[in-house]
Amino acid sequence: MESPGTPSRRLEDYFEVTLTQLRPGTVATFDLYLHFRSNNHILLWRQRGETLTAELLDRYREKGLKTVWVHTSDHEVFEAYQNAPIEPILKSDSKQSEATSFPTEFPQIEGGFPRTKEGALLGTILSSRLVPHDQKMMMAGEASRTILARIGGADSVAEQSKIQKEVRKTVQDVLDKVADKACSIVNELWKFANIDPEFEHGANVSTYSVVFLMAFGRVEPDLIADIALAGLLHDVGLSQVPSRTSALSWKSMGSSDYAHYSRHVEQGNQLLRRYVQQYGEKIPERVLDLIEQHHEKFDGTGYPKGIHGFHLDDIAQLLAMADLVESVSSGRWDGEKYTLSETFQLISSFEKIRNFPEYFNPEVFAAIQRWMQAYADLSKMDQ
């Protein structure tokens, strides 16, 4: 029998547990798995040692999740968990690496297709065989730069969050038209972003990546699909990082924490390659290549390989920029949340204090800043 550390494909190696059997405020002493009935996948949902908060369990019950699965090797551990007295947790550490687990089936996305008129139109244009390529580039670029300005024009983090959710729907509509339907992970992960805040990081990185890509006129359907999937899966390796470490802001990490954290890129790709071998899921090699570079830096101080300058993949730079932008704005950088405009100003200040750009190709970063400002100025003139 396979160990619980490497999920078996056989459902008979697991037993079903209802969410009502999981007690709020307790620490799971066993791994919990989700079952994809559509393709019979068994994937890790929560690791042993994580706190099962009432908020978490309620949120998933409300969205239709009734049962999860436990590996049969943990049967006695689960029985002991059920029979043990509840020890209240006064201060729960609920910030776990939830964004790196995988989803199960849920009700259809609210509203169905299309979610936004903008996304439906853009998706139709990009998937059309009748629209010339140069027109697709022009229209997608114009729409994407307008979207960036719209997010960048938010006056508060709360307003920005609302706009981001609408933009996420727009990008979903585009992906519905251009993405490979064979990759079931994409749609499933998008659903979770509206259920669990911890999944928002991956969804927002995916959204920014697609918008950045189209803003530069790259409208090839397979490329859009690949960078979207890379954005959703880029942090899957955090499931192998101690939860205490993954909950820390980047600036507060010590050298030991950073060493653990920096391994998540290679560990993530190892997990994904194993996933492909086990389940035959189609994850393009380019997606794995993009993920591998999402923490590389222009000055060569990134990881895991220390690639520098123009040796970096141009598309991977967009994914890396999307990850940094979303991480800074959401509080993963220093614990403070920022608007997109403030985020770009902060990143720009990082770059200006150095003789050589640290993070990105300066031309790429400057172009996005110019577009945001130019469209923001036009928007103010229209008002």
Side-chain angles (χ1 to χ4, degrees):
M1 183 173 293
E2 299 175 59
S3 70
T6 303
S8 166
R9 294 185 64 177
R10 300 170 300 186
L11 193 59
E12 58 266 29
D13 289 342
Y14 301 83
F15 61 94
E16 199 168 14
V17 172
T18 65
L19 285 195
T20 55
Q21 291 177 276
L22 302 176
R23 298 177 298 179
T26 58
V27 175
T29 53
F30 40 83
D31 291 333
L32 290 163
Y33 296 86
L34 299 174
H35 176 224
F36 287 72
R37 286 191 172 85
S38 59
N39 48 20
N40 204 34
H41 289 184
I42 295 287
L43 293 168
L44 182 65
W45 180 54
R46 289 293 181 274
Q47 289 181 297
R48 65 188 72 226
E50 294 191 26
T51 301
L52 304 173
T53 66
E55 180 186 9
L56 171 72
L57 297 176
D58 289 344
R59 185 165 63 238
Y60 278 80
R61 275 196 292 263
E62 289 170 1
K63 292 297 181 178
L65 182 65
K66 297 179 181 179
T67 61
V68 290
W69 299 78
V70 177
H71 198 271
T72 52
S73 63
D74 276 333
H75 198 280
E76 292 184 4
V77 176
F78 177 74
E79 288 187 344
Y81 162 84
Q82 282 201 298
N83 295 327
I86 297 178
E87 296 182 7
I89 298 176
L90 299 179
K91 187 176 181 181
S92 115
D93 178 17
S94 61
K95 235 182 153 150
Q96 308 289 346
S97 55
E98 297 171 7
T100 58
S101 52
F102 292 83
T104 186
E105 71 270 12
F106 278 94
Q108 293 297 314
I109 297 172
E110 294 179 3
F113 178 81
R115 301 165 187 82
T116 67
K117 292 181 180 178
E118 181 180 40
L121 177 61
L122 194 53
T124 300
I125 290 170
L126 294 181
S127 61
S128 174
R129 296 182 179 179
L130 302 177
V131 180
H133 185 74
D134 59 346
Q135 288 189 19
K136 291 181 180 181
M137 292 173 60
M138 180 187 68
M139 298 175 78
E142 185 85 8
S144 298
R145 293 191 285 272
T146 302
I147 286 171
L148 284 172
R150 190 188 313 154
I151 304 175
D155 294 326
S156 66
V157 171
E159 181 186 355
Q160 176 173 286
S161 179
K162 291 180 181 178
I163 299 172
Q164 280 178 325
K165 289 179 180 178
E166 287 303 307
V167 173
R168 199 158 66 216
K169 292 177 184 178
T170 296
V171 171
Q172 280 183 272
D173 285 336
V174 172
L175 292 174
D176 279 342
K177 288 289 188 178
V178 305
D180 182 1
K181 295 293 184 181
C183 190
S184 60
I185 301 176
V186 175
N187 287 329
E188 296 294 343
L189 282 172
W190 277 113
K191 294 177 187 179
F192 266 61
N194 296 319
I195 299 170
D196 193 329
E198 291 297 328
F199 281 92
E200 283 193 318
H201 174 67
N204 285 338
V205 170
S206 184
T207 298
Y208 279 131
S209 296
V210 171
V211 173
F212 290 164
L213 184 73
M214 294 191 301
F216 280 98
R218 299 301 299 270
V219 294
E220 302 92 322
D222 61 335
L223 184 56
I224 292 174
D226 283 354
I227 200 171
L229 182 56
L232 288 167
L233 297 178
H234 74 286
D235 271 347
V236 69
L238 288 179
S239 62
Q240 308 303 299
V241 175
S243 58
R244 186 197 69 81
T245 298
S246 61
L248 294 172
S249 65
W250 292 358
K251 286 189 70 174
S252 65
M253 287 184 186
S255 57
S256 177
D257 295 317
Y258 183 79
H260 282 298
Y261 185 85
S262 61
R263 295 192 196 108
H264 81 274
V265 178
E266 291 178 300
Q267 290 173 325
N269 269 7
Q270 289 170 4
L271 285 173
L272 292 173
R273 290 185 187 281
R274 194 182 310 149
Y275 178 78
V276 170
Q277 292 174 354
Q278 287 184 331
Y279 301 110
E281 188 69 62
K282 294 182 180 179
I283 299 180
E285 190 67 26
R286 179 165 57 189
V287 171
L288 300 177
D289 291 340
L290 293 174
I291 292 173
E292 188 175 51
Q293 289 193 29
H294 83 272
H295 275 294
E296 298 287 2
K297 296 181 181 180
F298 200 72
D299 68 354
T301 62
Y303 56 85
K305 294 184 177 180
I307 304 172
H308 68 280
F310 296 101
H311 295 288
L312 290 164
D313 183 273
D314 291 340
I315 307 304
Q317 278 269 282
L318 297 180
L319 174 63
M321 189 181 301
D323 181 42
L324 182 62
V325 165
E326 211 290 321
S327 294
V328 171
S329 64
S330 64
R332 287 171 174 245
W333 170 258
D334 62 1
E336 298 291 331
K337 294 186 177 182
Y338 300 93
T339 64
L340 189 63
S341 178
E342 292 169 338
T343 296
F344 269 84
Q345 290 174 17
L346 187 58
I347 296 174
S348 182
S349 70
F350 302 160
E351 303 291 78
K352 287 179 179 178
I353 62 176
R354 297 168 57 89
N355 294 326
F356 189 79
E358 179 180 359
Y359 285 94
F360 313 115
N361 179 335
E363 294 181 1
V364 173
F365 185 71
I368 294 178
Q369 281 188 302
R370 285 198 308 271
W371 293 335
M372 287 176 55
Q373 188 57 51
Y375 278 79
D377 292 343
L378 286 174
S379 177
K380 290 177 182 179
M381 290 175 62
D382 291 339
Q383 294 175 359

